[in-house]
Structures are given as structure tokens and as C-alpha cells.
Amino acid sequence: MAILVTGGAGYIGSHTCVELLIAGFEIVVVDNLSNSNINVLNRIRELTKKDFKFYEVDLIDKSSLEDVFIENSIEAVIHFAGLKAVGESVKIPLHYYHNNITGTLFLCELMEKYDIKKLVFSSSATVYGVPINVPITEDFLLSATNPYGRTKLMIEEILRDLYIQNRDWNIVILRYFNPIGAHPSGRLGEDPNGLPNNLMPYITQVGIGKLEELRVFGNDYPTSDGTGVRDYIHVVDLALGHLKALEKVMSTSGIDAYNLGTGRGYSVLEVVEAFEKASGRKVPYTVVERRPGDIPICYADVNKAKKELGWAATRGIGDMCLDSWQWQIKNPNGYEDFKHISKIKMN
Ligand code: NAD
Ligand code: UD1
């Protein structure tokens, strides 16, 4: 029996595949490689010394997806596959709705057809919209401010309806806060396309000299130093959270949502300081206007995950910065060089 991992070649998915294989699970990975690189798969194999099946399949291609269900004996699904760039989702909303929602509908339809009712779903703290308070508990009102966030919110609701219709479903919704960091080996990490949108990849690219300086989006928020506060979580801690979620879906039926964060917020300038300490590099910055759509402060109450999943993050901001930095210096162009090599080999 295997765990189907959709989006397993991506940033969080690849780290989770490593932890699943180390823990002794058999996995089957499905990814259309729209935001990832095929060489990630060999790095997962290299790190774990274990093999697994990979299907380059788009979730929207239902008949190819069905082949995966026919050819494998699947016990549960961890569903990472989705598009995640907020700005892009505003520009091409229909593509986001189609990819994220239709993809999830096809996946769930096939799960029903093949009687597989255990699912772990990647949601996001973005479903809390502009939170009225911090720390954020799972029972806060949900809302979304952009198409990407709405896909997460809609999928959460679809999954709830699925459970209401058939109480045999076991579903865990994980709401990630801000994943950063990389595998401590320096072999896996985040490889954004083009100019990074998110803080940590931007900082590491400034650290290595690819970008000139960081633009700090506003220093007039009601926070200790005026810059935005977020709950950054090490991607390996996040990956381990999926193993705990998997244990839960394997053992009980129901649907529940959990915050995965550290429960502690850091401002932009605190992250810059922690990065400088971990890397020994200076990060020059300029304060610019607030980024539209940003919220001032966001961090999780993590008690529910602690109590019900038996999970808590253990890696601090120093480890997160160090591992992000190691990944950046060991792979200055991300997986790009490897894309080039595989192209040459193919020709
Ligand atoms: P990622 O882009 O690195 O990984 C997603 C993977 O899904 C990619 O490999 C992509 O090629 C694949 N994919 C996308 N659409 C697909 C489709 N239709 N069929 C098959 N594969 C498809 O992103 P990530 O950071 O690893 O995020 C994983 C999940 O977690 C996403 O659902 C994302 O929305 C969610 N999430 C991410 C963050 C974050 O900051 N990284 C925060 C909250 C939630
Ligand atoms: C962004 C997404 C959010 C998503 C989350 C995790 C937006 C508006 N929101 O959130 O939906 O769930 O990523 O993927 O894109 N910052 C700078 N300079 C930069 C980049 C960021 O000052 O160049 C600041 C931001 O203003 C924020 C903090 O750093 O205060 C973190 O930003 P980021 O990493 O983009 O994450 P979020 O804004 O939390």
C-alpha cells in the first residue's frame, strides 16, 4: 500500500517525500512539473537511498490520473499540487480556479471511485484573510482576499461537503503559516521562478549578490519595529507535520483543520538580522511602500496541532536562515543548472 503524493516534486512536497520514505512509507508521486524540476526526484532518491514511482501527470488530465489509481494500491493521499502565487492568481484567476479546484475535484472523484477516503490537504493561513487578532486559532472566521486564497477556501468547503455526504472520509486540512528553510543537506530547497515574491528567497538572493538590496514593504505597521510580522516555519518541521496528519487520517474518520506554524512571529527586520547572523552576509535594504494586500501581523496558535496531532515545530529562526542560506550557496541557480544538463542529455 502506498501514499499518493500530488505535487511531490515541489518545495514542501519534496521535503515531505523524504520524511515519508525515511519513515518507511511507500510513495507514488504525481506532478506535472509546472513549478518544479524533474531532478528533484533523484535528489529525494539520493537522500533517502529509496526508490519510488513518479508520474508526470496533470491532475486536470483525469484519465491519466486514473491510470495512477489503477496501477497502484493507494492507501491515502497527501495533496500538495496547486498553483500558489498570489499576484499571478489575480492576473489569471480562471487558470488558478481550474488548476486548483478542478484538479482537486478530479482527485476526490477518483478517490471515491477507488474507495480511498484518507486525505491530507495543503491549505494556508491565507484563509484567515485579515485576522482580527493574534494568535490565530483554527476557529477564526475564514475569508480570502485574492483568487489563490479563494481556491484554498473553496477546497476546504468542498472537503467539508464531502465528509457530510459520506462520514467514512478521513480528512486533515493543514493551514501552513510561512514555510522557509531547506533540507539541511543543501540538496533540496525552494527554487522560485524569476524574481522571488516571498521574503526569504529574496533575502538569500541578496545575500549571494544576485539581487542588490531588499525592499522592505512598509515600516509603519503597528508592530515592534513597524515591519510586518509572520510566523515562519522550517520546511522540515512542516514535512514532519504531514506524517502526524497521516497518522490521524489512518486512524480516525472526520474532518479537521490544523495550523502548522511555530506560534511565534518575527518582523521583517528581525528575519534580516537572523539571516545576517546565520550567513555572515550583510543584507542592504530600503524601506518602500506597503505591498498591497499585506496584513500587519500573523502568527498561529499551535495548541490544537500539539494536542491532537502530537506535533510541534522544533527548529528556530536561526536554523531556518542557515538552511535557506546553505541551499542558496550550494545551488546558486536553484535546480536550473540541472535543467540545462538534462536538456543536453536528452538531445
Ligand atoms: P510548489 O509550487 O513548490 O509545489 C506545488 C507542486 O504542484 C509543483 O511541483 C507543481 O508542479 C505541482 N502542480 C501544480 N499544479 C498541478 C497540477 N494541476 N497537476 C499536477 N501537479 C501540479 O509549492 P509549495 O510551496 O511546495 O506548496 C505546496 C502546497 O502548499 C500548495 O498547494 C500551496 O498552495 C500550499 N501552500 C504553500 C505555502 C508556501 O508558502 N510555500 C503556504 C501555504 C500553502
Ligand atoms: C505571502 C502571500 C500569502 C501566502 C504566503 C506564503 C501575498 C500578499 N501573500 O504571504 O498568501 O500564503 O506568502 O506563501 O503575496 N516582504 C518584504 N519584502 C519582500 C518580500 C516580503 O518586506 O521583498 C515582507 C512582507 O511585506 C511580509 C513579510 O515580508 O511582511 C513576509 O512576506 P512573504 O514572504 O511574501 O509572505 P506573506 O506576505 O506572509
Side-chain angles (χ1 to χ4, degrees), residues 186-228:
R187 300 293 287 159
L188 299 176
E190 188 173 11
D191 183 16
N193 277 329
L195 197 66
N197 294 311
N198 297 116
L199 181 64
M200 185 51 77
Y202 206 102
I203 289 182
T204 61
Q205 291 195 17
V206 172
I208 204 168
K210 272 174 104 172
L211 296 170
E212 219 167 277
E213 61 170 14
L214 173 70
R215 291 172 310 143
V216 173
F217 297 141
N219 66 353
D220 56 352
Y221 286 110
T223 62
S224 60
D225 58 22
T227 65

Side-chain angles (χ1 to χ4, degrees), residues 86 124 126 146 148 177-179 197-200 202 214-217 228-230 232 268 291-295:
V86 173
S124 164
T126 195
N146 55 67
Y148 164 70
F177 280 65
N178 288 58
N197 294 311
N198 297 116
L199 181 64
M200 185 51 77
Y202 206 102
L214 173 70
R215 291 172 310 143
V216 173
F217 297 141
V229 167
R230 297 290 185 275
Y232 297 94
V268 176
R291 179 172 64 180
D294 271 358
I295 53 175

Side-chain angles (χ1 to χ4, degrees), residues 10 35 49 65 98-99 144 154 163 199 209 229 279 296 339 343:
N35 197 37
K49 302 191 173 44
L65 186 60
H98 187 51
N99 189 78
M154 286 177 189
Y163 175 69
L199 181 64
V229 167
S279 66
K339 268 181 213 161
K343 258 187 209 144

Side-chain angles (χ1 to χ4, degrees), residues 139-151:
D139 55 4
F140 270 33
L141 268 185
L142 304 182
S143 68
T145 54
N146 55 67
Y148 164 70
R150 266 186 281 282
T151 68

Side-chain angles (χ1 to χ4, degrees), residues 11-12 31-32 34-36 58-59 80 84 99 148 152:
Y11 172 47
I12 305 168
D31 199 303
N32 65 359
S34 60
N35 197 37
S36 47
D58 194 316
L59 297 191
F80 293 102
K84 62 165 182 178
N99 189 78
Y148 164 70
K152 292 295 176 193

